[in-house]
Amino acid sequence: MTPIQITYPNMMVILPEVVLSCWVFFMMMADLFIPKEKKEINAVLGLIGLAVTAVSVFMVLSYGDISSFNDSMRSDRFALFFKLLFIITAALAILISAKYIAIEGVNWGEYYSILLFSVVGMMVLVSATDLVTVYLGMEFMALSIYVLTGFIRHDVRSNEAALKYFLLGAFSSGLILYGMVLLYGVTGSTNVYKIANFLAANDNYSNPLMIASVILLISGFAFKIAAVPFHMWAPDAYEGAPTSITAFMSVGPKAASFAALLRVFLVALPVMKPHWVAIFWGVSAISMVVGNVVAVAQTNIKRMLAYSGIGHAGYILMGVIAGTRMGVASVLLYMLVYIFMSIGAFSVIILLRKTGVKGDEIKDFSGFARRYPSLGLCMLIFLISLIGLPPTAGFIGKLYLFAAAVEAEYYYLAVIGVLMSVVSLFYYMQVAKTMYIDEEIEGQELVPSRALTFVVYFCAAATLLIGMFPDGFISAAMAAVLPI
Amino acid sequence: MELLLFYIFGGVAVLASLGLVTGKNPVHSALFMVVVFFVIAALFVLLGAEFLAAAQILVYAGAIMVLFLFVIMLLRLQPEELRNTSRHAFQKFFGIVLSLVLMAQIALIVRGGFFKGAKGNYTPEVVSGFGGNTEAVAAVLFTDYLFPFELTSLILLMAMVGAVVLTKKELK
């Protein structure tokens, strides 16, 4: 028997993941020595860790397109773009959490460790070029989010949300895994490039196993991005989770899942495109319709934003369906834009949270903008951006998505998208109307947290900045497109 | 000899599976399932996959079935509830239909030709080149799948921390 030859892997490929994981180990240890009333130190530590990780991402950027671990992980500009997005998302989530989890009475250090662990999982997911690493990254990310969703242990709604999310999530992981197994069975490989090569060399795409595999993969991924008909978990999970986590999971895991989806479908299965486009077309259209129409009937703003998130998943799928360089770039751009408007809107909701009052009903916003004009204006900016009107970032993002769909000649899809944006105008403006026109109500004090108000202003500024000067961001997204 | 063993273990597996699905008492069903796991492990040994057999017994018969038994005992189902199986008629119907579909699928695969796929890389010759099944698994795990292997440890750590956070009686 010959001894196993282990070639030393190129660790630069996973440098950001390694740096952040080590930092989380350190934070777990440090948490033991931080007294109960000073748990905010954990938040500061988390931010430092993210800053260090951001530096490592820029270090890796200069190495170009590298892969290692038997080509199961790849560090290209596509992955690094998403990694930076996750760092921004997590940093904003930590800033809005510090005070909020103290109010909820769950101010424990593990919150930050698990949050950062989920970022590690998302980083693995966007770098993964092997179905095994795709699956593990996805599980890592999802398991962390399940725990965070149920983090308010004494709140039944939080428990219920976590349990629902966990059970349905486990089910969808099973679907994805089944799809991957069939793909492996047909192609004999789990590597996305080898799968693509095999399928290109062998006329195998009429194989019934391939069709089954594509259907199963789409079902699993549609769950992860909360697209109809696999969206049922989203409103409950969004409503029950701690609001800071709702903000985080409305952006981070969605972006990571879209990245993995792009890699799996555009890199591994380009020959199957006619098949998966047909299914995604339906998923996209029905997500836009159901998400936006059902959102109209919501009275809880977290549920409303959950349904609007379902609609947004439908819009973003347009970029995937187009499948062109422009389409992929528009997905990247929209994910960037979506971070600021979504986290911004949820931060405003957190501002209204105080002991005894949830502050997440739409009527809790009555007269909010008259009492707090500048914060009300920020919320208005987020709402306008979510609708997709100029001069905000949401307009630029949607413009590119629709343009990509039209360029690839999916006219009907673009028409549905525009029509549903008009529907969304109705329910977003309902919130604006409540804020500006309805009577002021008693007890509308804000959470006294400068970090939280900073996030609100920062997100509003970023939303406007991207909306008015989009050139730099667009070229960044174009530069990060997958080589297809 | 090998064929005879195969028929013995296969027969036991089929009988135990039948006992598993027809058993009225969930604890009996769980114990039948342990038997199924053991004979499947024996079938793995016959196929020359000793590592898989050991993993099968340790993970499934050991860890997962203990978990099952714990859940069954914690639920403490009353005998009356157990006897009342009429509400499962719907499930029973679909169970039978899906089993038939599965059987048809397996028959198609066994007949061959309908589902085409690539030939696997790990033929018996390749595996014996490594020095055996366990060695082959180790070689693949620590070279090609080194990163997933290490990543799993991180996931387990995270899951452990998460489980403690969610269930510990008092957190400081």
Side-chain angles (χ1 to χ4, degrees):
Chain A
M1 192 198 116
T2 49
I4 299 169
Q5 295 293 318
I6 299 178
T7 48
Y8 191 74
N10 184 357
M11 293 297 280
M12 282 318 262
V13 176
I14 55 163
L15 186 68
E17 287 90 337
V18 172
V19 169
L20 194 55
S21 309
C22 292
W23 190 268
V24 178
F25 299 151
F26 164 70
M27 277 176 68
M28 282 178 172
M29 287 294 152
D31 180 46
L32 296 173
F33 302 101
I34 296 173
K36 203 176 175 182
E37 56 280 0
K38 288 201 180 115
K39 289 291 183 195
E40 284 77 18
I41 296 174
N42 278 311
V44 178
L45 284 178
L47 289 176
I48 297 172
L50 286 170
V52 176
T53 315
V55 172
S56 74
V57 170
F58 280 109
M59 267 174 68
V60 180
L61 191 59
S62 61
Y63 281 75
D65 196 343
I66 45 175
S67 74
S68 185
F69 296 101
N70 191 30
D71 206 10
S72 68
M73 292 291 280
R74 181 169 287 258
S75 175
D76 47 15
R77 277 182 297 188
F78 177 78
L80 294 174
F81 180 88
F82 273 104
K83 286 180 189 182
L84 279 179
L85 290 194
F86 301 147
I87 290 171
I88 297 171
T89 313
L92 293 174
I94 287 178
L95 282 173
I96 61 177
S97 298
K99 194 79 193 173
Y100 172 74
I101 59 170
I103 294 175
E104 294 285 5
V106 288
N107 201 356
W108 305 314
E110 287 81 3
Y111 177 89
Y112 301 103
S113 320
I114 298 176
L115 185 71
L116 293 187
F117 260 150
S118 83
V119 175
V120 177
M122 297 194 288
M123 286 181 168
V124 171
L125 186 52
V126 296
S127 274
T129 51
D130 191 288
L131 296 181
V132 179
T133 35
V134 167
Y135 178 71
L136 285 176
M138 195 167 264
E139 281 305 280
F140 196 1
M141 164 184 95
L143 280 171
S144 321
I145 305 282
Y146 303 147
V147 175
L148 290 170
T149 305
F151 209 77
I152 312 179
R153 304 193 312 178
H154 48 78
D155 181 11
V156 181
R157 285 205 305 173
S158 182
N159 300 160
E160 184 198 334
L163 194 62
K164 267 187 191 161
Y165 191 14
F166 172 70
L167 291 176
L168 289 173
F171 183 65
S172 79
S173 295
L175 291 180
I176 288 193
L177 209 48
Y178 207 176
M180 286 176 174
V181 166
L182 291 181
L183 206 50
Y184 175 67
V186 174
T187 61
S189 175
T190 50
N191 184 291
V192 290
Y193 300 102
K194 286 186 188 153
I195 291 173
N197 288 340
F198 180 91
L199 291 177
N202 300 274
D203 178 28
N204 234 330
Y205 39 91
S206 54
N207 192 326
L209 284 182
M210 283 305 295
I211 311 283
S213 160
V214 165
I215 292 172
L216 287 164
L217 282 174
I218 289 178
S219 315
F221 274 112
F223 177 90
K224 298 287 178 198
I225 60 173
V228 181
F230 300 96
H231 65 290
M232 279 82 86
W233 59 276
D236 291 322
Y238 276 40
E239 190 191 355
T243 314
S244 51
I245 292 308
T246 314
F248 180 68
M249 76 183 183
S250 72
V251 183
K254 198 175 258 188
S257 306
F258 263 109
L261 188 154
L262 283 170
R263 250 205 232 275
V264 169
F265 284 95
L266 290 180
V267 177
L269 303 168
V271 290
M272 298 292 292
K273 199 174 177 215
H275 297 282
W276 56 256
V277 157
I279 305 175
F280 271 138
W281 196 100
V283 172
S284 166
I286 198 170
S287 296
M288 288 190 278
V289 173
V290 171
N292 284 307
V293 171
V294 181
V296 173
Q298 303 304 316
T299 56
N300 181 298
I301 193 157
K302 279 162 89 177
R303 286 188 87 83
M304 188 199 91
L305 286 174
Y307 278 108
S308 106
I310 294 166
H312 280 283
Y315 298 136
I316 302 169
L317 272 177
M318 272 198 265
V320 180
I321 292 166
T324 52
R325 285 184 60 83
M326 167 105 172
V328 178
S330 65
V331 173
L332 299 188
L333 183 66
Y334 204 82
M335 281 335 307
L336 173 72
V337 168
Y338 196 58
I339 290 180
F340 297 112
M341 53 197 195
S342 185
I343 292 195
F346 281 111
S347 315
V348 178
I349 301 172
I350 294 181
L351 271 174
L352 286 175
R353 173 75 172 102
K354 56 204 145 303
T355 321
V357 183
K358 276 262 180 265
D360 58 1
E361 297 295 321
I362 292 178
K363 62 178 181 330
D364 290 328
F365 279 83
S366 297
F368 177 76
R370 285 193 285 173
R371 191 152 173 185
Y372 305 102
S374 50
L375 289 169
L377 184 66
C378 289
M379 186 64 174
L380 188 66
I381 292 172
F382 301 136
L383 293 173
I384 291 177
S385 185
L386 284 164
I387 301 168
L389 294 177
T392 57
F395 170 69
I396 303 295
K398 262 192 192 160
L399 184 70
Y400 272 78
L401 283 174
F402 291 153
V406 170
E407 186 198 55
E409 302 186 339
Y410 294 101
Y411 300 116
Y412 289 112
L413 210 51
V415 169
I416 297 174
V418 173
L419 283 178
M420 287 303 130
S421 299
V422 177
V423 174
S424 75
L425 185 78
F426 175 74
Y427 61 85
Y428 287 127
M429 280 302 124
Q430 197 82 39
V431 178
K433 180 210 143 226
T434 315
M435 286 200 307
Y436 277 94
I437 297 173
D438 286 5
E439 284 301 310
E440 291 177 40
I441 51 169
E442 286 298 306
Q444 211 173 42
E445 277 81 41
L446 300 183
V447 171
S449 164
R450 268 180 299 174
L452 190 52
T453 34
F454 166 76
V455 170
V456 174
Y457 288 125
F458 176 80
C459 288
T463 309
L464 282 181
L465 181 75
I466 301 174
M468 289 194 274
F469 307 100
D471 301 348
F473 301 98
I474 293 168
S475 49
M478 284 304 279
V481 167
L482 278 173
I484 43 173
Chain B
M1 179 64 191
E2 218 184 292
L3 196 67
L4 181 71
L5 282 175
F6 173 79
Y7 280 118
I8 294 173
F9 288 127
V12 174
V14 171
L15 289 178
S17 310
L18 280 174
L20 165 64
V21 288
T22 52
K24 291 270 182 268
N25 189 328
V27 179
H28 292 172
S29 291
L31 292 175
F32 270 123
M33 205 158 167
V34 176
V35 177
V36 176
F37 287 147
F38 267 98
V39 283
I40 288 179
L43 289 177
F44 279 140
V45 174
L46 285 182
L47 288 172
E50 317 89 52
F51 180 77
L52 218 53
Q56 165 91 8
I57 290 178
L58 287 178
V59 177
Y60 283 91
I64 291 183
M65 280 321 297
V66 171
L67 189 76
F68 268 41
L69 284 173
F70 259 119
V71 172
I72 291 169
M73 287 171 184
L74 284 176
L75 284 176
R76 283 204 299 188
L77 290 172
Q78 300 303 317
E80 308 86 70
E81 290 178 54
L82 292 175
R83 243 174 271 126
N84 180 15
T85 49
S86 55
R87 61 198 161 135
H88 298 317
F90 184 68
Q91 285 179 358
K92 218 175 246 173
F93 173 73
F94 276 100
I96 291 170
V97 170
L98 288 177
S99 310
L100 290 176
V101 171
L102 183 68
M103 211 167 98
Q105 282 177 333
I106 293 173
L108 269 176
I109 291 169
V110 171
R111 231 187 86 240
F114 187 58
F115 296 126
K116 294 181 290 291
K119 291 268 184 294
N121 297 326
Y122 294 94
T123 54
E125 294 77 50
V126 175
V127 171
S128 62
F130 280 109
N133 170 259
T134 312
E135 287 84 350
V137 171
V140 173
L141 208 53
F142 289 104
T143 54
D144 292 357
Y145 292 98
L146 180 64
F147 180 71
F149 181 66
E150 298 293 343
L151 184 64
T152 313
S153 63
L154 261 188
I155 298 177
L156 290 177
L157 173 70
M158 184 269 127
M160 209 156 63
V161 173
V164 172
V165 168
L166 290 183
T167 53
K168 192 163 178 275
K169 246 199 180 114
E170 268 181 42
L171 279 172
K172 271 190 265 163

